[in-house]
Amino acid sequence: MAKSTVVLEVKNVERHYAQGEKKLTILNGANLTLKRGEMVALVAPSGSGKSTLLHMAGLLEKPDAGEVIIGGRSCGTLSDDARTAIRRNDIGFVYQFHHLLPEFSALENVMLPQLVHGLPKKDAAERAQQLLEYMRIGARAKHRPTELSGGEQQRVAIARAVANAPLLLLADEPTGNLDPVTAGYVFEALGALVKQSGLCALIATHNHELASRMDRGVTLHKGKLVEWKPALSL
């Protein structure tokens, strides 16, 4: 990436869906800028377009209008192969459900994206162990997902998402399946990882307490992104 600290730019993005004979507008001129080392909460009611926005930012969907720029590169006119390469190299995804591969250990789950990326097995294993140690679950590296608690599984999923050192981390309700204490612990580990590595994160959450601990928050109002504050009633 160039010297700029800006990682993600969403410019005047629109997304519409056909609903019978009508047009359902989800995003209507949405704008957002994320910089390195920044954690931004995306707080909005279900059905307001949070997942759609994450799909746009993650290049899983193309906007009907507007532009998505990642690392200074406009992605709207890129080929499917080029978009896939950016998703693989520059974007990490974390979901509410960890989606770990059950037949592999925690270490192997974190190694896999690195092996796909072409890293030698020894190097992948070393980095995977380092990430698990950083997430405070290094001692559980050889355990399979079914042998891990929910919080441990989600920390493995976060380690896997950042294994290839992406520029951008997108998370959709990453603590939504966890009890408040475990959610706080996972969030703390995620926050430390973001600050330490210099990536940026856009995190969709219904948890206002966790959202208030991020650098800033945004919400969706009539298809546009506006500043969110903890006192805002959604």
Side-chain angles (χ1 to χ4, degrees):
M1 194 175 89
K3 292 181 180 180
S4 172
T5 61
V6 174
V7 172
L8 171 68
E9 292 178 87
V10 174
K11 291 186 173 183
N12 299 313
V13 163
E14 296 183 13
R15 189 66 169 115
H16 312 283
Y17 297 99
Q19 193 176 55
E21 296 182 355
K22 297 181 179 180
K23 182 174 73 172
L24 179 64
T25 296
I26 303 298
L27 300 176
N28 185 23
N31 290 279
L32 180 66
T33 300
L34 266 69
K35 297 181 179 180
R36 284 185 180 272
E38 188 176 38
M39 287 183 74
V40 176
L42 174 58
V43 186
S46 297
S48 61
K50 293 196 305 296
S51 294
T52 298
L53 179 65
L54 289 174
H55 288 169
M56 297 292 157
L59 307 185
L60 296 171
E61 291 185 45
K62 290 185 178 181
D64 296 309
E67 195 174 14
V68 176
I69 302 169
I70 295 176
R73 189 178 186 186
S74 180
C75 301
T77 59
L78 297 179
S79 67
D80 287 342
D81 286 347
R83 289 166 66 88
T84 297
I86 291 175
R87 282 198 302 271
R88 183 175 62 242
N89 299 329
D90 295 335
I91 304 173
F93 296 91
V94 181
Y95 300 97
Q96 180 174 351
F97 301 99
H98 54 78
H99 298 301
L100 298 175
L101 297 175
E103 65 270 30
F104 294 109
S105 68
L107 185 76
E108 290 166 337
N109 267 280
V110 181
M111 287 175 61
L112 281 172
Q114 300 177 75
L115 297 174
V116 171
H117 198 61
L119 203 67
K121 187 174 181 180
K122 180 177 181 293
D123 294 340
E126 288 179 359
R127 175 161 171 78
Q129 185 65 43
Q130 288 172 354
L131 285 167
L132 293 175
E133 295 285 353
Y134 194 85
M135 299 300 289
R136 298 185 183 180
I137 47 172
R140 311 286 280 167
K142 294 183 179 179
H143 291 70
R144 293 187 179 185
T146 54
E147 300 172 308
L148 303 174
S149 69
E152 288 171 338
Q153 290 172 347
Q154 197 63 308
R155 277 181 277 165
V156 174
I158 292 169
R160 180 183 59 184
V162 301
N164 284 336
L167 298 172
L168 171 66
L169 180 68
L170 301 172
D172 195 355
E173 298 289 348
T175 62
N177 245 12
L178 307 175
D179 65 82
V181 173
T182 304
Y185 193 80
V186 169
F187 174 80
E188 182 182 337
L190 174 58
L193 187 64
V194 169
K195 298 301 180 185
Q196 191 72 19
S197 64
L199 61 82
C200 70
L202 179 61
I203 302 173
T205 181
H206 283 102
N207 189 322
H208 288 199
E209 192 276 326
L210 291 183
S212 68
R213 291 161 57 186
M214 299 190 211
D215 296 306
R216 59 189 173 96
V218 294
T219 187
L220 282 159
H221 180 66
K222 296 183 178 179
K224 298 183 185 296
L225 283 160
V226 298
E227 182 183 0
W228 175 85
K229 296 180 179 179
L232 184 64
S233 176
L234 297 177

